[in-house]
Amino acid sequence: MTPEDRHLAGARLALMDHVRGLQPKPRDPTKPRRKSNHGAHSALVRSVVEAITASGGFAWTNSTGAMRTGERYVRFGSPGAPDVLGVLNGRSIAIEVKTGAGRLTDQQRAWAERHQRAGGLWAEVRSLDDAAPVLARAKGDTR
């Protein structure tokens, strides 16, 4: 297979993935890029993980998304899953971090409802102070 054939095969795979909904739609170059709060978001995620750990719990960042590896497009994580998952005092904690004008998606709302129905604690936080009530609830739970 020539390099040109490989390029065309990759383009066909990308188009098929897009049609099947496996790849985000290409960005419209005529629209301005959104400002990113990635640094602030990452810092708040780390702070929430540290707060849960400092409270005697176990927590980790939960990545979801997709990436291209070679000619394949790979999705990872559960759609709608929160940024931080953890356990404190035997209680499952799920925390979705939002910064700036970020809003919950329908998938995130559905994930939160399923988690709460199963007995887990879930919260949307925009600051470390917002996480305090869910940590207090987990600490006070004697289950």
Side-chain angles (χ1 to χ4, degrees):
M1 181 179 278
T2 68
E4 189 173 295
D5 290 339
R6 275 194 295 278
H7 174 76
L8 290 173
R12 278 192 294 272
L13 278 174
L15 179 59
M16 289 185 326
D17 284 349
H18 176 70
V19 168
R20 284 184 277 171
L22 298 176
Q23 180 175 337
K25 185 176 160 187
R27 188 181 83 74
D28 183 349
T30 62
K31 293 184 179 178
R33 288 185 182 267
R34 287 185 354 198
K35 290 185 180 177
S36 172
N37 281 327
H38 184 72
H41 183 271
S42 295
L44 183 52
V45 166
R46 279 191 308 273
S47 295
V48 169
V49 169
E50 290 169 4
I52 294 169
T53 303
S55 297
F58 172 61
W60 61 96
T61 59
N62 181 49
S63 298
T64 60
M67 62 182 260
R68 181 169 294 285
T69 174
E71 292 183 5
R72 301 289 307 160
Y73 199 74
V74 179
R75 289 194 170 280
F76 52 91
S78 174
D83 297 307
V84 178
L85 291 171
V87 178
L88 178 59
N89 197 30
R91 205 64 202 269
S92 172
I93 300 173
I95 297 180
E96 177 61 38
V97 173
K98 293 292 180 192
T99 55
R103 292 181 296 185
L104 291 175
T105 65
D106 290 340
Q107 288 178 323
Q108 289 170 327
R109 282 187 195 88
W111 199 101
E113 288 171 16
R114 286 191 311 267
H115 187 73
Q116 290 171 318
R117 272 197 315 266
L121 297 174
W122 181 92
E124 174 187 356
V125 303
R126 293 183 177 274
S127 71
L128 192 52
D129 290 339
D130 291 347
V134 76
L135 299 183
R137 284 182 56 205
K139 282 179 172 178
D141 191 347
T142 57
R143 285 194 304 155

